[in-house]
């Protein structure tokens, strides 16, 4: 068997279903791959000590304030175009079901009839889609920061807000995974890593210097954060398509 790639090592570390089936046995026989795997594991494990804090008390209110202006007007004011385009139908339905799912998981109230009728497989699929979409948004922001100009001073206000939104969203997903005993638990470690970085972005000043931009870019490269997000997101998309 040829040497394992970095992608193979990441998949093995997170115990993802798409990891090479003979990867573990190869690590036992190949000193070079075993050393690379141990180095990768040491890097990941050094980031696991940080514990995600609870969402801010005003999270629900601030989320609604941001969401309300984007809601469609009443149907009677749009008689000719009340329906969603087909390409938005599945994401909208998943968002609705996930919202009911999260309420049932995170509150003390009886579970909503909407989610009570769902099978475990359907719940897992909804959560996988939501997690993949979350990582997709994180990947977009990581890519933009990686490609940002590292000269002069940059306005970081939009990035700060997007990073804070990702932090709030990611915490809810992590709590859902933890409380539900979800099969997505292997992705919680990556979500923690993403959250730590997004917190740093969210807490940055509105105007960032070239030195601060380069520092963020070094973190993305050193921790292989963008690479790991792409791998896990792609794996989730593939899993959803097969389910």
């Amino acid at each position: 068997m040829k040497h394992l790639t970095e992608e193979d090592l990441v998949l093995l570390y997170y115990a993802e279903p798409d990891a090479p089936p003979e990867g573990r046995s190869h690590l036992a026989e190949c000193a070079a791959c075993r050393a690379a795997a141990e180095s990768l594991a040491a890097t990941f494990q050094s980031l696991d000590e940080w514990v995600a804090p609870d969402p801010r008390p005003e999270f629900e209110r601030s989320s609604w304030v941001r969401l309300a202006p984007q809601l469609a007007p009443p149907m009677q004011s749009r008689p000719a175009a009340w329906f969603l385009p087909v390409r938005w139908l599945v994401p909208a339905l998943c968002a609705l079901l996930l919202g009911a799912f999260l309420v049932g998981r995170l509150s003390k109230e009886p579970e909503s009839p909407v989610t009570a009728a769902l099978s475990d497989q359907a719940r897992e699929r909804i959560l996988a889609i939501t997690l993949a979409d979350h990582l997709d948004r994180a990947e977009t922001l990581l890519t933009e920061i990686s490609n940002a100009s590292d000269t002069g001073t940059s306005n970081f206000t939009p990035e700060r807000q997007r990073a804070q939104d990702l932090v709030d969203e990611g915490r809810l997903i992590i709590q859902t995974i933890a409380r539900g005993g979800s099969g997505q638990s292997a992705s919680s470690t990556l979500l923690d890593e993403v959250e730590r970085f997004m917190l740093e972005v969210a807490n940055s000043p509105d105007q960032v210097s070239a030195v601060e931009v380069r520092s963020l870019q070094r973190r993305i490269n050193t921790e292989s954060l963008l690479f790991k997000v792409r791998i896990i997101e792609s794996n989730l998309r593939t899993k959803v398509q097969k389910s």
Side-chain angles (χ1 to χ4, degrees):
M1 179 179 179
K2 63 181 181 180
H3 288 304
L4 297 171
T5 64
E6 187 178 25
E7 177 180 341
D8 294 333
L9 295 176
V10 171
L11 293 174
L12 285 169
Y13 178 82
Y14 285 110
E16 292 291 335
D18 290 345
E22 299 178 0
R24 298 293 180 188
S25 59
H26 178 78
L27 288 176
E29 300 172 356
C30 179
C33 289
R34 186 165 60 253
E38 290 172 353
S39 175
L40 186 68
T43 300
F44 290 172
Q45 290 167 4
S46 67
L47 303 173
D48 290 343
E49 298 178 359
W50 184 84
V51 178
D54 292 332
R56 297 172 297 166
E58 68 276 13
F59 168 68
E60 292 184 5
R61 180 184 59 79
S62 60
S63 297
W64 177 250
V65 168
R66 290 195 298 270
L67 177 62
Q70 303 178 40
L71 297 178
M75 284 201 317
Q76 56 265 31
S77 65
R78 304 174 63 201
W82 59 269
F83 54 88
L84 285 172
V86 173
R87 66 190 179 92
W88 291 107
L89 185 57
V90 173
L93 178 60
C94 288
L96 175 63
L97 292 175
L98 181 72
F101 179 53
L102 289 173
V103 170
R105 290 293 187 185
L106 301 180
S107 70
K108 297 180 180 180
E109 299 297 327
E111 187 170 12
S112 165
V114 175
T115 57
L118 293 176
S119 65
D120 289 340
Q121 183 179 7
R123 294 171 188 243
E124 288 296 328
R125 191 170 191 275
I126 291 170
L127 186 56
I129 293 172
T130 303
L131 179 54
D133 289 344
H134 173 76
L135 293 177
D136 179 66
R137 289 188 288 275
E139 178 186 342
T140 299
L141 184 53
L142 288 168
T143 301
E144 291 176 6
I145 294 175
S146 295
N147 296 331
S149 172
D150 59 357
T151 59
T153 302
S154 303
N155 177 19
F156 227 52
T157 303
E159 287 79 3
R160 291 181 61 237
Q161 183 59 61
R162 290 165 61 193
Q164 185 60 60
D165 290 343
L166 286 166
V167 168
D168 293 336
E169 181 181 273
R171 286 173 178 172
L172 285 179
I173 296 175
I174 290 174
Q175 288 183 19
T176 302
I177 292 173
R179 299 192 185 199
S182 167
Q184 303 296 345
S185 56
S187 302
S188 294
T189 301
L190 177 61
L191 288 174
D192 285 340
E193 294 179 41
V194 171
E195 179 175 336
R196 283 194 293 273
F197 180 84
M198 293 304 168
L199 273 175
E200 184 172 343
V201 175
N203 293 326
S204 299
D206 290 335
Q207 300 293 325
V208 296
S209 66
V211 173
E212 291 169 317
V213 171
R214 286 195 292 270
S215 175
L216 291 173
Q217 291 172 337
R218 278 196 300 272
R219 276 201 58 186
I220 293 174
N221 294 329
T222 302
E223 299 173 13
S224 301
L225 192 55
L226 184 55
F227 172 78
K228 287 185 283 188
V229 166
R230 286 172 175 166
I231 292 297
I232 300 302
E233 182 203 346
S234 175
N235 185 58
L236 286 167
R237 301 286 188 198
T238 301
K239 186 185 301 183
V240 168
Q241 290 174 358
K242 292 180 179 179
S243 63

